[in-house]
Amino acid sequence: MSLFLVSNVDLDTNSAKIRIKDPHWEAYQRAELVTSEELSLIKKVDRQPRAKTESVLVSDGQTYALLYLRLLKKLQRVDTMQSLLVLIADALLDHDERIPLFTRTSQYDPDLPYVPLIRTLEAQDDFIQLKSAQILTVLLSSETTPLQHQHLQPFLKVLATLIQGQSVNKRDIAVQCLESLLARPECRRTVWSIPGITAGLVDILRQKPGPQMSYQVAFCLWLLSFEQNIAENINRKYDIIPLLVSVAQAAVKEKVIRIIIATFRNLITTAPSANLPAMLVAELLPFSKNLCTRKWSDEDILEDIQFVRDELEVNFESLTTYDEYTSELASGHLSWTPVHESEEFWRENAMKLNDKDYEQLKLLIGLLGTSEEPLVLAVAVHDLGQYVKHYERGKKVITDLGAKTRIMELMTHSDSNVRYHALLSVQQLVSHPWVTA
């Protein structure tokens, strides 16, 4: 993996400034922190022209990989760590063949290469933290065996902090690191176990970033969608399907649409029952039909679009009206679709909400406590009123499940539409007699 894959302007600018600083290596020798041999080696590459440094690394690459990491392990001054990280990165720049020189330093010292690099992630200096993240990503992504938990977990926890922070620069580097790391299955599973990372990615998309960041975040979600467990649960936990649809609809760059459609294809292929209903509710079918009529520079994107369209059409054709309702309910995005205001629908289907120990009814009641959208609250509280109206035991069930109190609370909601439908539902609760038998 090339070092270029994790980079930004600030990191490159600061690296150039550090490259010309004098770390005062002689002072370390006088303090007996650096041996005379180590001093002699470091002076051959410190602040030297790139051509000269390259000639040294060609003949003594392994020696210098060990030297840099050993010094990083024992020296803890900020300016020194900065210089060593720049030396390591410079050795790797444009030379992927040197990556094994660093990864196999473990043969000489079991702490190398990762322990000193992971320690530097904890530094208070932003440059040290981000430069370490850059180097760690290159080394970890290139390992030929599964990554060890003690190396991966602390690094990903730092990335979780960076990706959820306010610094645009830190989020940029963190997303780039994840783009590389998530190609590895063990990284995908570990990332999923750290909720802050996925939540951070989703939050970035909600902030409507530019095309490049939208693509990079969607690329991370695409990689995550290859895992069965993640594909089954990511929309339920993070509501990504309507979000990705909206990002794709607003996208001006073909590559953004391409990676989002590829993500949808993965979600359909890997976990259809968990994702197709939400895709239908998010109006992905008409959008995919529209995309099929466009001209694309990449032929693969049309194949993916047609696959998504065809799968959604088959699913849509097999849906009953009640299936449409439960799909909408599962998505959590209720709106005034025709079923909600159809007396015929409620006469025929109110009792079905009781199936599987009131599974659908509990979902509906749950929205009253979890949703902050006035539209969702208004539709949900309306539906509960319809349930009571058309199911003779509905009043007792609603009360036993704890929904009556919440419905009454919504009569004082700040939104007038929510207040109105809550009042109508309370009237149903008051006017209908108790049936307990």
Side-chain angles (χ1 to χ4, degrees):
M1 176 206 156
S2 173
L3 198 74
F4 276 128
L5 293 180
V6 180
S7 185
N8 69 11
V9 174
D10 284 350
L11 202 59
D12 293 342
T13 301
N14 288 322
S15 293
K17 292 176 181 177
I18 290 164
R19 211 171 272 123
I20 59 176
K21 283 184 179 179
D22 182 3
H24 303 291
W25 297 111
E26 291 85 354
Y28 285 110
Q29 187 194 21
R30 289 194 294 271
E32 297 183 347
L33 294 172
V34 170
T35 67
S36 57
E37 181 185 359
E38 288 171 335
L39 178 62
S40 175
L41 287 169
I42 202 75
K43 295 295 281 184
K44 289 181 181 179
V45 295
D46 179 43
R47 292 174 294 151
Q48 297 298 317
R50 183 165 177 80
K52 182 177 180 181
T53 303
E54 283 297 309
S55 66
V56 172
L57 292 174
V58 166
S59 57
D60 292 311
Q62 188 64 74
T63 299
Y64 277 87
L66 268 169
L67 174 69
Y68 295 158
L69 290 168
R70 282 171 172 166
L71 292 177
L72 190 65
K73 181 180 177 180
K74 65 182 178 179
L75 303 178
Q76 298 186 22
R77 262 182 49 172
V78 168
D79 58 344
T80 310
M81 288 193 290
Q82 289 176 339
S83 294
L84 287 166
L85 291 169
V86 169
L87 285 169
I88 293 171
D90 285 353
L92 294 169
L93 186 62
D94 295 329
H95 286 282
D96 292 358
E97 76 280 1
R98 289 183 186 152
I99 294 173
L101 300 180
F102 288 87
T103 54
R104 64 173 172 244
T105 54
S106 58
Q107 298 172 10
Y108 304 90
D109 180 345
D111 284 348
L112 302 182
Y114 296 113
V115 170
L117 287 166
I118 290 169
R119 177 178 57 81
T120 57
L121 287 172
E122 301 169 4
Q124 297 303 305
D125 181 81
D126 287 351
F127 176 83
I128 290 176
Q129 191 177 52
L130 297 180
K131 200 68 176 175
S132 299
Q134 180 191 45
I135 295 165
L136 276 165
T137 300
V138 172
L139 299 184
L140 289 168
S141 299
S142 304
E143 286 282 6
T144 56
T145 57
L147 303 179
Q148 295 183 35
H149 181 79
Q150 69 266 29
H151 299 152
L152 188 57
Q153 186 82 3
F155 182 31
L156 291 177
K157 285 186 175 180
V158 170
L159 292 184
T161 301
L162 297 179
I163 211 165
Q164 294 177 95
Q166 297 302 308
S167 168
V168 174
N169 190 44
K170 290 181 178 181
R171 285 205 305 266
D172 178 34
I173 291 294
V175 170
Q176 291 183 57
C177 291
L178 289 169
E179 283 184 90
S180 298
L181 292 168
L182 287 170
R184 303 180 68 101
E186 71 270 32
C187 287
R188 296 197 287 266
R189 292 189 287 269
T190 308
V191 162
W192 184 246
S193 72
I194 304 173
I197 296 181
T198 310
L201 291 170
V202 170
D203 186 57
I204 290 172
L205 274 190
R206 293 194 192 285
Q207 294 173 30
K208 299 181 179 179
Q212 182 59 27
M213 181 56 75
S214 294
Y215 172 79
Q216 290 174 234
V217 172
F219 187 85
C220 291
L221 295 175
W222 172 67
L223 289 171
L224 284 169
S225 70
F226 281 92
E227 293 296 315
Q228 179 81 35
N229 180 48
I230 299 174
E232 289 174 353
N233 292 286
I234 192 168
N235 186 65
R236 179 180 59 81
K237 292 185 73 172
Y238 298 104
D239 209 19
I240 68 163
I241 287 173
L243 175 61
L244 289 174
V245 170
S246 67
V247 171
Q249 287 172 333
V252 294
K253 294 288 188 180
E254 181 177 305
K255 68 178 184 178
V256 176
I257 298 173
R258 183 180 70 239
I259 199 65
I260 289 175
I261 292 297
T263 304
F264 288 147
R265 179 168 189 159
N266 270 5
L267 292 174
I268 292 170
T269 303
T270 309
S273 61
N275 295 301
L276 282 168
M279 290 177 180
L280 288 167
V281 171
E283 301 290 329
L284 181 54
L285 178 55
F287 180 52
S288 62
K289 287 180 177 178
N290 175 271
L291 292 178
C292 283
T293 65
R294 297 190 194 177
K295 292 184 178 180
W296 304 97
S297 61
D298 181 354
E299 293 182 3
D300 290 342
I301 187 175
L302 185 57
E303 182 186 339
D304 283 349
I305 292 168
Q306 290 171 342
F307 174 87
V308 170
R309 179 202 61 191
D310 293 347
E311 290 297 313
L312 286 169
E313 281 184 333
V314 169
N315 197 260
F316 181 75
E317 288 167 3
S318 67
L319 285 180
T320 64
T321 307
Y322 184 68
D323 288 332
E324 290 182 49
Y325 178 76
T326 56
S327 296
E328 187 180 355
L329 194 55
S331 77
H333 294 281
L334 302 186
S335 60
W336 292 112
T337 51
V339 294
H340 299 283
E341 299 180 279
S342 166
E343 289 290 318
E344 181 182 357
F345 171 81
W346 286 107
R347 276 196 303 271
E348 294 176 358
N349 295 291
M351 285 185 62
K352 291 182 181 177
L353 296 183
N354 302 337
D355 293 349
K356 298 181 180 178
D357 190 29
Y358 304 100
E359 180 180 28
Q360 300 301 322
L361 183 62
K362 288 175 181 176
L363 276 177
L364 186 59
I365 292 170
L367 290 175
L368 298 185
T370 59
S371 180
E372 297 180 359
E373 298 178 42
L375 175 59
V376 174
L377 292 173
V379 177
V381 77
H382 163 272
D383 287 2
L384 289 171
Q386 291 295 93
Y387 171 76
V388 171
K389 179 180 178 180
H390 293 281
Y391 175 52
E392 61 181 8
R393 298 182 188 174
K395 182 175 180 178
K396 182 178 187 305
V397 174
I398 288 290
T399 304
D400 288 348
L401 291 175
K404 181 178 179 180
T405 302
R406 178 58 179 153
I407 293 172
M408 297 182 74
E409 288 173 354
L410 291 175
M411 289 196 298
T412 61
H413 194 273
S414 59
D415 184 85
S416 61
N417 205 30
V418 175
R419 292 198 301 271
Y420 171 71
H421 287 287
L423 175 61
L424 292 182
S425 291
V426 169
Q427 288 174 349
Q428 295 290 349
L429 284 166
V430 171
S431 62
H432 280 67
W434 282 86
V435 178
T436 59

